[in-house]
């Protein structure tokens, strides 16, 4: 066996021709000898060591041999330059610390935001061929895309659209998992049997749903999410094929999902069962739009072809069932686009803010490195005079920059890791792909590539400028230093101020927007209000009468709890994260197509609901105990509904109908105040309230609202015990105060505002540091000039004004140039603003004033230092 081939080739290339054969021959002979005695591994290790030693001896300073121009001794030069760079930085620890900290802040902020945006915006969905997955929905008359449709419409699309390979309907499901000690309310989904196959998911244990199980009466089978399986069943694989108790019924476990599965259509879902839709029931009608639909397209047709096919089917359906459709068409949206459409603008804005901070940090570092290189002009001139080539000096400067940038990148990655954890904690629970957010290798590679680019830039540009000055005569060099360096450093500071002003104005707009959102009246009194979801299930609660009786007993028990002023329940509550709307027919305003009737939020409530929520009655009366089943059907409407359909008239006594033509007409007995349902910034829409016992059916899961005398948390445990006294099997979930629900409803806005404020603060700090550093250097460079001015009679006020004007000009120019950028940022933020103009003059003025104050503070110390220059010492130093 021959010696290591690669090392032998390198030696043959690097060794001088006069010594090559002798050295290679001796090494090969000894290699075979050692291999015979010590083995191949030991012989190879010896050969490598001897090869390095031979090269060192051959090219030692006393050998008389010159290094080959393309040799690997460039690596040795690099190590030498690296050690020299470390020595230089140890002599200036403050300079090194400032550069590293500045880069760490810029890199950390950008990397943290990129780590959040990467899985949501840039990476494909975690399903095979995810670009073929679409969400189907109807286009309403308003032009909005509705993500729900009726069963009959779904069946027609699955059958008549050739581009659809498979489709699945989805509905919500909230079973109660019975345990030995307590019951737990779960979040689940009822899905078509094709659902997991459509997504390309393979079970970790067990099997997928069978087609026969997706039929009425045959769907007592479930698939467990990995988290639920691990938490409640101890990761026991034998749970497959066993029965578990859900809502008083036995369900057989068919399979367990893998840990890699992401439930993007409902991030909170823990358990799944077959939909088993009964198309003979009334809710299978075309007007009953309560199902989500996801589909996988065939590999051949494009999305545009699919849209054309959907338009053809939609036109036919609207013609055949003209009284059951108010849509203008049916469309397919890519699943990824649909999932990220609400968060994409905010994430792009945050990513842009992070890039701005990184740009400011790089400008600051460039200024610092340029100043440091200027200080070393004497050293560079001397080394040039002693024969050092320009490339060697450039190599040294680039190496020093690379050391600083790599250290800054390492610190930045540590900050980014902490920042990602903080962002995950601040993010709302419904953020898409929240579990996939992490500092992964892709983001790390991007960070390293950006770091090397910064190192090259901040090493080459100052290096070229300094080397050019080092080669000039002294007189020419001083003139150039006073012109070009001031231009470059001034331009960098102006750029920092401009970017900082853009971020500051954007943060100001978002902050004022959030303040206006929080000042919106929700329509009810949120203080001292406790809310929770209670769910009763099982064979006992199959009758509407039994459910209503249980709910009355529940309210009596809760009203008796000390500290509770009023107890009530509703099917949904404002800012509760739920959504239920019905079309409302008006008896004296008939429509040719009932589907074009206005839709309104439906609140099915107990009699004391308005009292517990403190929703005011504007006209007529509220609901009473006498508004029960068997009595005259009644309803309340909100002010917006009254103004929309009876402008300037009294709606009391008018009759409305909701829920289809077979439902009773209800008499309006009162008009109540508007409440904000989906969010404080949500456009106000029509709403109606009906007594629970007069609705079409009872609802086993309702939201209990309790008006308390003190802090809502003080009655939580007594309330739980009171609910258990009615029926221990009733599950309690989603316990929260109304104040907490308001915070959750504004969580997206709060996150964006806090991030922009943090980025703007960092940008402001870096811009101030840039102004301070620049003026400090200029004061030091003008030490002799300032001394002469003082000797000739210049007052301290005049010297102070001279320096302050210098810094003020830079700050003012930065604000002026940043104004155009700030207006552009405001236009991009327009969709995130509430009740405030993008070009709000107050915000822009406050941003400019704040930046001016910070710039003034940054100028003060260098300016005062300039006033203390001793003219005698300044002239003597010359």
């Amino acid at each position: 066996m021959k010696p290591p081939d690669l090392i032998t080739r390198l030696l043959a290339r690097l060794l001088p021709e006069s010594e090559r054969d002798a050295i290679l021959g001796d090494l090969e002979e000894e290699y075979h000898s050692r291999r015979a005695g010590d083995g191949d591994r030991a012989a190879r290790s010896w050969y490598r060591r001897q090869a390095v030693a031979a090269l060192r001896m051959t090219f030692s300073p006393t050998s008389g041999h010159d290094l080959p121009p393309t040799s690997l001794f460039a690596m040795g030069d690099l190590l030498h330059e690296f050690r020299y760079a470390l020595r230089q930085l140890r002599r200036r620890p403050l300079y090194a610390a400032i550069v590293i900290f500045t880069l760490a802040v810029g890199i950390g902020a950008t990397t943290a935001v990129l780590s959040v945006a990467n899985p949501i915006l840039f990476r494909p969905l975690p399903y095979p061929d995810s670009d073929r997955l679409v969400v189907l929905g109807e286009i309403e008359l308003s032009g909005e895309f509705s993500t729900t449709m009726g069963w009959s419409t779904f069946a027609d699309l699955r059958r008549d659209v050739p581009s659809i390979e498979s489709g699945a309907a989805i509905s919500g499901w909230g079973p109660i998992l019975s345990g030995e000690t307590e019951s737990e309310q779960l979040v689940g989904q009822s899905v078509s049997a094709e659902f997991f196959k459509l997504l390309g998911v393979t079970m970790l244990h067990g099997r997928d749903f069978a087609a026969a199980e997706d039929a009425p009466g045959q769907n007592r089978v479930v698939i467990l999410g990995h988290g639920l399986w691990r938490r409640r069943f101890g990761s026991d694989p034998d749970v497959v094929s066993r029965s578990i108790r859900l809502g008083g019924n036995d369900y057989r476990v068919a399979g367990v999902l893998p840990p890699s599965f992401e439930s993007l259509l409902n991030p909170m879902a823990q358990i799944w069962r077959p939909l088993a839709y009964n198309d003979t029931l009334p809710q299978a009608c075309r007007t009953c739009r309560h199902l989500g639909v996801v589909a996988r397209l065939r590999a051949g047709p494009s999305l545009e072809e699919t849209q054309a096919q959907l338009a053809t089917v939609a036109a036919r359906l609207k013609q055949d069932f003209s009284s059951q459709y108010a849509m203008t068409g049916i469309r397919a949206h890519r699943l990824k686009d649909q999932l990220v459409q609400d968060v994409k603008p905010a994430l792009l804005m945050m990513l842009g803010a992070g890039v701005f901070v990184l740009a400011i940090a790089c400008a600051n570092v460039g200024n610092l490195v340029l100043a440091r290189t200027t200080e070393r002009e004497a050293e560079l001139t001397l080394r040039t005079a002693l024969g050092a080539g320009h490339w060697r000096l450039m190599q040294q400067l680039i190496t020093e920059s690379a050391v600083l940038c790599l250290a800054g990148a390492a610190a930045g990655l540590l900050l980014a890791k902490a920042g990602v954890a903080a962002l995950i904690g601040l993010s709302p629970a419904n953020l898409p792909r929240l579990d996939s957010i992490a500092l992964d290798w892709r983001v790390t590679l991007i960070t390293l590539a950006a770091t090397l680019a910064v190192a090259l830039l901040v090493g080459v540009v100052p290096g070229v400028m300094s080397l050019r000055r080092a080669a000039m005569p002294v007189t020419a060099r001083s003139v150039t230093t006073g012109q070009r360096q001031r231009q470059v450093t001034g331009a960098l500071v102006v750029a920092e101020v401009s970017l900082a002003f853009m971020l500051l104005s954007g943060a100001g707009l978002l902050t004022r927007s959030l303040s206006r959102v929080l000042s919106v009246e929700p329509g009810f009194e949120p203080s001292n209000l406790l809310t929770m979801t209670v769910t009763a299930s099982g064979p006992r609660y199959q009758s509407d009468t039994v459910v209503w009786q249980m709910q009355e007993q529940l309210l009596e028990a809760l009203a008796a709890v000390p500290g509770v002023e009023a107890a009530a329940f509703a099917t949904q509550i404002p800012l509760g994260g739920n959504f239920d709307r019905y079309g409302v027919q008006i008896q004296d305003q008939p429509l040719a197509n009932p589907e074009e009737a206005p839709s309104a939020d439906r609140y099915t409530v107990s009699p004391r609901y308005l009292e517990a929520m403190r929703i005011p009655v504007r006209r007529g009366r509220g609901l009473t105990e006498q508004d029960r089943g068997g009595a005259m059907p009644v309803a309340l409407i909100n002010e917006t509904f009254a103004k929309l359909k009876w402008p300037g008239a009294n709606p009391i006594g008018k009759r409305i109908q909701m829920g289809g033509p077979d439902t009773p007409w209800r008499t309006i007995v009162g008009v109540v105040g508007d409440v904000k349902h989906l969010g404080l910034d949500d456009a106000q829409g029509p709403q109606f309230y009906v007594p629970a016992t007069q609705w079409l059916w009872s609802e086993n899961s309702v939201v209990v609202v309790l008006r308390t005398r003190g802090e809502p948390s003080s009655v939580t445990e007594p309330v739980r015990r009171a609910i258990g006294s009615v029926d221990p099997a009733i599950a309690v979930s989603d316990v929260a105060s109304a104040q907490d629900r308001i915070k959750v409803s504004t969580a997206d806005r709060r996150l964006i505002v806090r991030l922009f404020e943090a980025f703007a603060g960092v940008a402001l700090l870096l811009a101030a540091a840039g102004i301070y550093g620049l003026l400090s250097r200029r004061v030091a460079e003008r030490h002799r000039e300032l001394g002469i001015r003082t000797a000739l009679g210049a007052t301290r006020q005049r010297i102070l004004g001279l320096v302050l004007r210098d810094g003020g000009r830079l700050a003012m120019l930065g604000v002026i140039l940043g104004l155009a950028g700030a207006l552009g940022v405001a236009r991009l933020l327009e969709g995130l603003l509430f009740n405030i103009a993008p070009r709000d003059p107050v915000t822009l003025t406050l941003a400019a004033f704040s930046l001016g104050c910070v710039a003034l503070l940054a100028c003060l110390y260098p300016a005062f230092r300039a006033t203390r220059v001793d003219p005698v010492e300044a002239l003597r130093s010359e």
Side-chain angles (χ1 to χ4, degrees), residues 190-194 196 203 206-223 240-241 251-255 272-278:
S190 297
V191 298
S192 301
E194 302 93 339
F196 291 109
M203 297 297 133
R207 60 172 178 83
D208 198 350
F209 293 132
E213 294 168 338
D214 195 10
Q218 305 298 318
N219 66 330
R220 294 288 177 82
V221 58
V222 295
I223 288 176
V240 175
S241 298
Y251 281 75
R252 188 176 70 259
V253 177
W272 289 260
R273 72 172 178 182
L275 181 62
Y277 204 92
N278 190 343

Side-chain angles (χ1 to χ4, degrees), residues 760-779:
V762 172
L764 201 59
L765 180 63
L766 293 177
I771 294 174
Y772 168 79
L774 176 63
L775 291 183
S776 295
R777 290 194 302 274
R778 289 190 177 180
V779 167

Side-chain angles (χ1 to χ4, degrees), residues 73 78-79 91 385 488 556-557 599 685 698 736 831 854 875:
F73 273 80
L78 183 60
L79 294 176
R91 294 172 184 170
V488 173
E556 291 176 2
S599 59
S698 65
V854 172
L875 295 174

